[in-house]
Amino acid sequence: MSSPEFLPLPRRGEKIAPEFFRSIAESTVDWESWFSVTGEVLWVNEAVRRFTGISPEECLKMDDYPMQLIAADDRSRIAALLREAVSGSTENNVEFRILHRDGSTRWVAVSWQPMKDDNGRSLGYRTSVRDVTEKRHMREQLRLQNEHLEQIVQERTAKIAQLEKHRLKMEKLAALGELAAGVAHEINNPLAGIRNVFELLKRQLPTDVKHYDKLSLIDAEIERISGITHQMYQLYRPSQQRSTVFSVRKTIDEVLALTVPMSRKSSVGVKVNYVTMERAPDLSKEEVVLREGELKQILLNLIHNAIQASPRGNNVQIEVHNSRDQLSISVHDQGCGISEENLDKVFDPFFSTKAAKVGQGMGLGLSVTKGLIEAMQGTITVSSKLGIGTEFKLRLPRNLQLKSEA
């Protein structure tokens, strides 16, 4: 058996036989091609089969190689570039899509450069194609990730701007609050003196004095001023009450008893529904740890507002949801509702929709209510539909434990 023939290995400095260069070209991972000076394909390496499923022999038989192997959308662009390659241009990493015999498509990048012999005579040009599908995929993933990060940055920036705006608003409200509380406190002192002197004068005047009936109007306006200053002071002062253990059902019953006169006068009923959530304590048996006096004030204000907003003959619905950690109470009226443009303003100090409707209210009640709820680590929300009604929902922890009360 004869041994296979091997080409003698070249030594350093010796001239390398052309067969070695062909072996090197055939062994490369990249898809290599050699074109003549007129752009006609002369040679294609075996790597083309891995890229396209087409053999080198089939490629050499094509009239328009490599156009048949290029995706239709990229053919005109690559054809124009290869025409430039014939004129001696050089390019690197031009990306396009190729078609495989099995119907799949892959992304590749082609580079080309002119070829010359030892005398500088043109031998045409060579192309080298490598697979960049994974690189394209990674690049697309990176682009999507960058877009996502940009979106997050924009959202966070908007949130920071919103928080900064809110902080500035809170600082202004705090300054206004200190001023309002101070003014309210100072007004109450001389107002109390005016009321006392007025009562003394009123007692000394006979009832048949001209305009005696106007004195009750003066007394009512003094009371009105006193109520406004009291609400202003209460809106901004720290809470003085401490948490106690009490029955929510009993407290609500007491509040309802206080609303009876207004309810009867307005011909508006008040209905209460107690809902105990699954695995929650029975509301009729379990107690809560909250500021009872402030909870009464909150409910009384919300129910009064609901009665005033309801047409005669309708009902105000109160629903109490009881869970293991939270107490939720909603007050729903069947009034005309609040417009969307005013819905965000209902808790602002001195904003009121009552003045135009019933001629009462200074717009401090809901501000005080919200302040009391937030001081007990709770929240209050409002939802409304014009012509249907409005619902205020407050959520409070069942057990209020503040450091200041420890």
Side-chain angles (χ1 to χ4, degrees):
M1 183 175 180
S2 61
S3 59
E5 295 183 2
F6 293 96
L7 291 172
L9 294 177
R11 296 181 180 181
R12 181 181 297 179
E14 289 183 351
K15 189 173 182 179
I16 300 175
E19 290 80 2
F20 281 105
F21 290 108
R22 181 178 293 276
S23 298
I24 293 171
E26 289 288 0
S27 301
T28 58
V29 176
D30 293 345
W31 166 15
E32 301 281 342
S33 302
W34 177 14
F35 294 86
S36 70
V37 292
T38 60
E40 180 183 2
V41 61
L42 301 177
W43 169 82
V44 183
N45 73 346
E46 184 62 29
V48 68
R49 194 189 304 271
R50 179 169 53 83
F51 279 77
T52 66
I54 306 295
S55 68
E57 292 74 21
E58 291 176 285
C59 293
L60 293 173
K61 293 178 181 179
M62 293 181 183
D63 294 332
D64 57 350
Y65 174 87
M67 292 301 116
Q68 296 181 31
L69 307 178
I70 299 174
D73 292 343
D74 295 329
R75 285 175 188 168
S76 59
R77 177 169 59 92
I78 299 301
L81 292 174
L82 291 182
R83 284 194 294 271
E84 294 180 7
V86 173
S87 63
S89 69
T90 299
E91 192 58 79
N92 193 39
N93 291 331
V94 176
E95 295 184 3
F96 62 98
R97 289 160 295 175
I98 59 168
L99 305 175
H100 195 279
R101 177 167 269 164
D102 62 10
S104 62
T105 303
R106 298 190 68 82
W107 278 95
V108 296
V110 63
S111 301
W112 65 84
Q113 52 279 142
M115 298 171 60
K116 296 181 180 180
D117 62 12
D118 294 340
N119 298 319
R121 186 181 62 178
S122 175
L123 299 177
Y125 67 94
R126 64 177 287 269
T127 62
S128 180
V129 177
R130 57 191 176 88
D131 193 330
V132 293
T133 303
E134 190 65 26
K135 178 181 177 182
R136 292 278 304 199
H137 177 71
M138 296 289 290
R139 188 189 304 164
E140 180 64 15
Q141 291 296 316
L142 182 60
R143 184 188 66 80
L144 294 175
Q145 185 68 18
N146 286 339
E147 288 182 357
H148 180 62
L149 290 175
E150 288 178 3
Q151 182 180 358
I152 293 176
V153 169
Q154 291 176 358
E155 291 175 355
R156 295 291 172 83
T157 302
K159 186 69 178 292
I160 291 173
Q162 184 180 9
L163 290 174
E164 179 64 15
K165 184 178 179 180
H166 181 70
R167 184 187 67 81
L168 294 174
K169 182 180 180 181
M170 289 301 100
E171 289 181 355
K172 291 179 181 179
L173 287 176
L176 176 62
E178 292 181 7
L179 176 63
V183 170
H185 180 73
E186 293 301 322
I187 289 177
N188 270 332
N189 290 331
L191 189 63
I194 292 172
R195 172 179 286 169
N196 292 335
V197 173
F198 176 74
E199 286 295 327
L200 290 174
L201 292 175
K202 184 178 178 181
R203 290 175 188 174
Q204 300 300 320
L205 292 175
T207 57
D208 58 351
V209 173
K210 186 178 181 181
H211 300 305
Y212 183 86
D213 58 322
K214 300 299 189 298
L215 297 180
S216 60
L217 179 60
I218 297 174
D219 194 27
E221 291 304 307
I222 292 175
E223 182 65 26
R224 177 176 168 81
I225 295 173
S226 177
I228 293 172
T229 55
H230 175 72
Q231 282 193 312
M232 288 178 61
Y233 182 67
Q234 189 178 42
L235 179 62
Y236 298 107
R237 70 176 175 86
S239 175
Q240 302 299 314
Q241 293 191 19
R242 299 178 66 84
S243 299
T244 57
V245 181
F246 62 93
S247 167
V248 174
R249 185 182 291 269
K250 180 181 178 182
T251 298
I252 292 177
D253 289 342
E254 292 174 356
V255 170
L256 293 180
L258 295 174
T259 64
V260 168
M262 177 181 285
S263 175
R264 289 177 176 172
K265 183 179 179 181
S266 304
S267 298
V268 175
V270 181
K271 307 294 182 180
V272 184
N273 181 30
Y274 293 94
V275 180
T276 300
M277 308 300 288
E278 185 179 357
R279 306 173 93 181
D282 186 352
L283 192 61
S284 63
K285 298 177 181 178
E286 292 295 324
E287 296 171 322
V288 296
V289 181
L290 292 169
R291 298 171 187 162
E292 184 179 12
E294 293 184 357
L295 181 59
K296 284 183 177 180
Q297 183 177 349
I298 290 166
L299 294 176
L300 192 62
N301 187 40
L302 292 177
I303 295 172
H304 274 175
N305 286 350
I307 292 173
Q308 291 173 350
S310 298
R312 299 177 71 86
N314 286 0
N315 291 321
V316 171
Q317 298 289 340
I318 301 172
E319 196 164 274
V320 184
H321 288 263
N322 182 34
S323 64
R324 184 172 298 277
D325 301 316
Q326 189 181 74
L327 178 67
S328 176
I329 303 175
S330 63
V331 180
H332 188 283
D333 66 58
Q334 296 176 314
C336 61
I338 303 172
S339 65
E340 187 175 350
E341 61 183 21
N342 289 331
L343 204 57
D344 294 335
K345 305 175 185 177
V346 293
F347 296 111
D348 291 348
F350 302 104
F351 178 82
S352 175
T353 58
K354 293 180 183 179
K357 182 179 179 183
V358 294
Q360 58 181 334
M362 287 296 296
L364 289 173
L366 287 177
S367 297
V368 172
T369 296
K370 184 180 181 182
L372 295 177
I373 291 172
E374 290 179 346
M376 286 192 285
Q377 302 177 359
T379 60
I380 182 170
T381 57
V382 57
S383 59
S384 185
K385 291 185 178 180
L386 292 176
I388 297 179
T390 302
E391 180 184 33
F392 286 89
K393 180 174 288 187
L394 64 97
R395 297 177 179 85
L396 293 167
R398 290 185 59 83
N399 191 343
L400 178 63
Q401 294 181 343
L402 297 176
K403 294 181 180 180
S404 60
E405 297 180 356

